[in-house]
Amino acid sequence: MSDPLAHASRARQYLTIFFVLFVLTVLEVAVTYVHGHKLQIVISLFALAAVKAACVALFFMHLKWETRVLRATVVVPLMFPVLYALVLIAEGAWRRLGG
Amino acid sequence: MQAAAAPGHAHSREIDWPADAQFGRASAGKIAMWIFLVSDGLSFAGLLLAYGILRGESLQWRHPGEPSLGVPFTAGLTFLLICSSVTMVFAYEAALEQRRGRAALFLGLTALGGALFLLGQYSEYFGILHPGLTREGLIFGQSAYASTFYVITSFHGFHVLSGTIYILITLGRWLRRKATAGQVELLGLFWHFVDLVWILVFTIVYLIPTGE
């Protein structure tokens, strides 16, 4: 890891990420108590989870400081299941709409 | 540069690799761990996609008599895993600075977090202070809701178990001065991955409303 930050500032950064993850988890649980608006709830939950996952990968797993090629080696293969999920969701919605 | 380490000792010392044009100074071990994590991530992706397909096509996901999943309790387990990720990064920081006692302490705390998560999952399944999902009517094999829940969460629980054992082995080697900071970093990658996957499992399996 070629992290240019000094130890103290890295420790501060880890605690900031911890705080962000904690707040986003509380928000996620709070969102589930909202009634109705199912589509908006689902989209919000996925957005919150994506931000949390990105925080863990970038800061705790140090991907932010790795080379672009290593980042791509990790991220690109994992985008295919996401793409497949989107295709399946679109296909399901299309069938429900009677397409 | 000490790249010419004897093969049998290649893992027992830090090797100052020459910077690679594509991967910089990432060690072979780190690249291998990342490739393993990507393939492991694809296994989870397969399970979660199957879950999504089954749930999306079902007319009724949770049948009468089946319990709903306890979100507040599991949110607590999520918080526990996040805490254990923080203790893991502090273990790595201490290992980098060769503060051996501090690194050992944080590794121990991380293992404790893993063990508590497993205890929580046991309690969720079989009950310690409350009946537990198995006794509340969530029976493996009786519905897609039950089976996918147990398959996905136990597959993740298996990762927590292996991660906890991996931490304890590394801690033992660290105390005997046989583990390096680089090896603590690889352990950290695995542990954070377990945390990252749980973030997705928690969202998809526990939080998405059933609409019932």
Side-chain angles (χ1 to χ4, degrees), chain B residues 28-114:
Chain B
K30 185 191 270 189
I31 296 167
M33 178 57 90
W34 269 116
I35 291 172
F36 166 70
L37 294 180
V38 167
S39 60
D40 207 13
L42 291 173
S43 299
F44 275 105
L47 288 175
L48 292 173
L49 280 169
Y51 175 89
I53 293 166
L54 285 167
R55 186 165 166 177
E57 296 296 315
S58 72
L59 295 173
Q60 186 175 29
W61 184 236
R62 182 159 64 90
H63 294 279
E66 287 183 321
S68 58
L69 305 173
V71 169
F73 179 74
T74 322
L77 292 183
T78 306
F79 180 65
L80 185 63
L81 269 194
I82 292 170
C83 289
S84 76
S85 259
V86 176
T87 53
M88 180 57 89
V89 282
F90 281 116
Y92 172 56
E93 282 296 316
L96 266 185
E97 296 180 324
Q98 286 301 310
R99 295 168 74 181
R100 305 196 68 83
R102 189 178 159 89
L105 171 71
F106 278 113
L107 282 176
L109 285 173
T110 312
L112 180 67

Side-chain angles (χ1 to χ4, degrees), chain A residues 1 3 6-7 10-12 14-15 17-18 21-22 25 28-29 32-33 38 41-42 45-46 48-50 52-54 56-57 59-63 66-70 73-75 77-78 81-82 84-85 88 91-92 95-96, chain B residues 22-26 30-31 34-35 37-38 41-42 45 49 53 55-57 71-72 75 78-79 82-83 85-86 89-90 92-94 96-97 99 102 185 188-190 192-193 195-196 199-200 202-204 207-211:
Chain A
M1 175 187 153
D3 186 351
H7 168 75
R10 275 203 303 268
R12 232 186 348 263
Y14 290 142
L15 289 174
I17 296 300
F18 167 69
L21 291 172
F22 171 69
T25 304
E28 277 183 325
V29 176
T32 62
Y33 286 96
K38 190 174 173 187
I41 291 174
V42 171
L45 287 172
F46 274 110
L48 288 166
K52 283 171 72 181
V56 172
F59 295 96
F60 288 171
M61 299 174 91
H62 306 140
L63 260 192
E66 302 295 356
T67 62
R68 192 177 297 179
V69 175
L70 181 51
T73 305
V74 173
V75 174
L78 292 173
V82 175
Y84 186 43
L88 285 172
E91 187 266 350
R95 267 188 293 128
R96 281 197 191 108
Chain B
Q22 275 78 41
F23 290 99
R25 288 195 177 276
K30 185 191 270 189
I31 296 167
W34 269 116
I35 291 172
L37 294 180
V38 167
L42 291 173
L49 280 169
I53 293 166
R55 186 165 166 177
E57 296 296 315
V71 169
T78 306
F79 180 65
I82 292 170
C83 289
S85 259
V86 176
V89 282
F90 281 116
Y92 172 56
E93 282 296 316
L96 266 185
E97 296 180 324
R99 295 168 74 181
R102 189 178 159 89
E185 186 183 21
L189 285 178
F190 181 78
H192 299 310
F193 170 79
D195 182 17
L196 194 156
I199 288 170
L200 302 175
F202 177 57
T203 299
I204 295 170
L207 295 180
I208 301 291
T210 53

